[in-house]
Amino acid sequence: MMQLQNPLWLSSVKDQLAWRHRWLPALSVALFYLVLAASWLRWGRAWLANFSLSQIWVEVAPILLIGLALLLLCLAYFSSQHKRLMTLLTSQGHFKEMAERIHEVFAVFDLRQRRFSYVAPGYAELWGRPVEELLSSPLSWLRWVAAGERRLLLDSLRHLSPEGEQRVEFALHGQGDDALRWVRVQLYPVCTAQGRERHLARIVVLAEDITRSKQQEQALLHQIRHDPLTGLPNRRYMHERLVDLLIESPELPFALLFVDLDRFKNINDTAGHVVGDDLLRQVAMRMRYTLPTSCFIARMGGDEFAVIVPTGQQADEVAHQLLESMRRPFMLSRELVHITLSIGLVHYPKDAMDADELLAHADMAMYAAKRQGRDTLQTYTPVLSEQTLAKVRMAKELRLAVQQAALTVFYQPVYSLHTGRLSGAEALLRWRNQAGEWISPADFIPLLEESGQIVPVTDWLLGRALSHLRTWRQSWPDFRLALNISAISMQDRHLVNSVERSLLRHRLEGQALELEVTETAFIRDPDKASLVCDELKRLAVDLAVDDFGTGYSSLIYLKRFAPDRVKIDRSFVAGMVNSPGDQALVRAIIELVHSLNMKVVAEGVETQEQLQLLQQMGCDYVQGYYCGRPQPEEAWVNVVPNLFTHRPLVDTWQGLGQLTTEASL
């Protein structure tokens, strides 16, 4: 084992005490005998000639006693000094043992002599260099400090004050080892007092290897800042990266892409979350291979990604490369799956000046790309912000309208083409904002779904409409009422409970009620939708597929869920007079639905020619402006008795024409 070097201050004390221990006893004895000799020479002969031995002894005894006392005092002093020396030597042993056993590297730097007075053996293990090198060359340890850390370390040494300690961490290159080690050094000043002033005399250094804790810290930081599924940076890391760019290089422009996978939820719902996770991993891998290495890619959550395109790259070209790469199919569970992207693009500093604003504007642009049909790139414009702010204001006003029960119900008549008479009505939710403007259901229904208010609003609509239905069926028992139901409501048994409670409260049979849903309700989660449908059929409530022909129009869903009615979308009805293709489609839909023992309702009938064609094709029911516009509940409550006279359809239309149309939509 390497011999422990003595600190300079301990060596000097030891040398001084050793000198006194060796020479002072001898000098004391010599002095004693010198006094005796001098006394004998001065008075010896006179004493022998004139005094007896007893008289001489009386004269000499005090001198001998003084000399003996002096000798004893010297021996006592030398003994105490010897004990002090032994104590210091014992302390040195303890110091040596402590310095060799602690895991920190202990060292003392003498500022006056500008060199290390003591260095513990652990230095050789931590730095990979011999202790003798540091003792002979006090600055040699700096050569192994990582270049980027040296200035910080030297600044800490220069600013060390007598009043306080300092701590600094830096990376260290081990000898013959490319891997970095991390070292934490604590500096403790030792001062000397000169009058009222204190001056630094020495610096006590404690250095320890913190590589393992640093690695654990970096692993934890990586886990916090990265997505565990794809390995990409997460939303938090992306935000930090944007902030760093804006602080470090505010003058350099860059671009931000916000990427969303189109119809990813359909894959999750149909193939399962395991397949969906596999797709996300493959998308992340393809993005890494497609985009330039200078781009910073992050997964923002769900099926959303973001990409920072640095200065020097054409952001629109990078975006189109990404769009093109994703059009190649992915292999999932031994099947080829196609997916597209919607991308929003924002530029700094043109479109935004901070990280949150950049992300928000890029997100707006991405949703604009989805509205344009998906699989495309949309660059941010100020108009998008105005649209988003308008949507936020509308959402706030709508929330207030729901709380104040400011929504209303309109009813549109439904006629039977077999009898030419009124068979029922469809209840439609309407909203007039505080400015007195009627807002389209296509605008406010999605807001109700996004905010989670669609469920309580549906409950309110059921209670309101069924209260009117109860009144009408007292006079006309065959009158039926249809309500539109959100696809979200079809995923929860709460709808069944709400329908059952409303029917019982108003003492109505289930067959008086018809619930209309779009094909999306079956696609979102077929198993849940199937359970809800079975429960509704148990209540004898009829189901209708709304807007048939505009979605997936899958015959599998017609077979599995077996609705009672199918409603042909108005887009086919509007074009069938002048388009043989639309006419053939409508005819085929009617024949198909009849073959499945279901009824057909045609929406959007606006002309007599459309009505006559539908009669010829065997359509069962019609509704539209030709038959009657949607009317507010007040108008229906007051004049509905006049609509139930047994008159032909054309006469009924004339009766409807007399109703007020100021609130019609």
Side-chain angles (χ1 to χ4, degrees), residues 428-565:
L428 303 169
L429 189 65
R430 293 293 185 264
W431 174 42
R432 174 180 279 176
N433 64 14
Q434 296 177 352
E437 302 171 343
W438 289 101
I439 307 301
S440 170
D443 293 330
F444 74 82
I445 293 296
L447 292 179
L448 289 175
E449 293 177 338
E450 292 174 7
S451 63
Q453 296 177 298
I454 191 65
V455 173
V457 168
T458 300
D459 294 343
W460 174 85
L461 177 61
L462 273 168
R464 188 80 171 181
L466 292 185
S467 66
H468 293 152
L469 178 61
R470 170 65 180 171
T471 302
W472 297 330
R473 282 182 68 88
Q474 288 177 352
S475 302
W476 297 275
D478 294 333
F479 190 84
R480 295 164 51 86
L481 188 64
L483 278 80
N484 284 285
I485 298 298
S486 168
I488 295 177
S489 297
M490 286 297 292
Q491 309 299 315
D492 192 347
R493 201 183 182 282
H494 174 83
L495 174 65
V496 179
N497 297 333
S498 181
V499 170
E500 187 172 15
R501 287 195 303 268
S502 296
L503 290 173
L504 291 174
R505 184 185 307 116
H506 299 288
R507 300 187 299 279
L508 290 169
E509 299 176 353
Q511 61 187 9
L513 179 63
E514 175 184 303
L515 300 181
E516 298 181 3
V517 295
T518 61
E519 297 167 74
T520 308
F522 305 127
I523 297 173
R524 185 182 291 264
D525 192 328
D527 294 334
K528 290 183 179 179
S530 179
L531 293 175
V532 173
C533 287
D534 292 342
E535 290 293 319
L536 291 173
K537 289 179 180 179
R538 179 181 59 81
L539 299 176
V541 175
D542 285 350
L543 294 177
V545 177
D546 200 11
D547 300 334
F548 186 80
T550 60
Y552 292 90
S553 303
S554 175
L555 300 182
I556 295 178
Y557 297 121
L558 289 181
K559 178 181 178 181
R560 178 175 180 180
F561 298 100
D564 301 282
R565 298 190 183 191

Side-chain angles (χ1 to χ4, degrees), residues 158-175:
R158 292 191 187 99
H159 293 89
L160 185 64
S161 64
E163 285 74 21
E165 62 188 64
Q166 285 198 20
R167 175 184 296 182
V168 62
E169 297 178 359
F170 54 90
L172 185 69
H173 293 285
Q175 186 179 13

Side-chain angles (χ1 to χ4, degrees), residues 126-127 143-147 171-175 177-181:
L126 181 56
W127 255 260
R143 292 200 299 266
W144 308 103
V145 176
L172 185 69
H173 293 285
Q175 186 179 13
D177 187 0
D178 293 334
L180 288 177
R181 292 184 180 182

Side-chain angles (χ1 to χ4, degrees), residues 326-377:
M326 294 300 163
R327 291 176 182 136
R328 300 194 304 271
F330 293 88
M331 179 64 70
L332 298 175
S333 298
R334 299 182 180 180
E335 294 184 5
L336 292 178
V337 175
H338 291 80
I339 196 159
T340 57
L341 303 178
S342 295
I343 303 179
L345 170 61
V346 63
H347 292 89
Y348 168 83
K350 173 186 173 185
D351 301 322
M353 295 299 293
D354 61 58
D356 292 328
E357 194 176 23
L358 282 166
L359 290 170
H361 288 180
D363 188 52
M364 293 178 196
M366 182 272 292
Y367 277 106
K370 284 189 176 295
R371 291 193 294 269
Q372 290 180 2
R374 299 180 172 86
D375 191 23
T376 188
L377 168 68

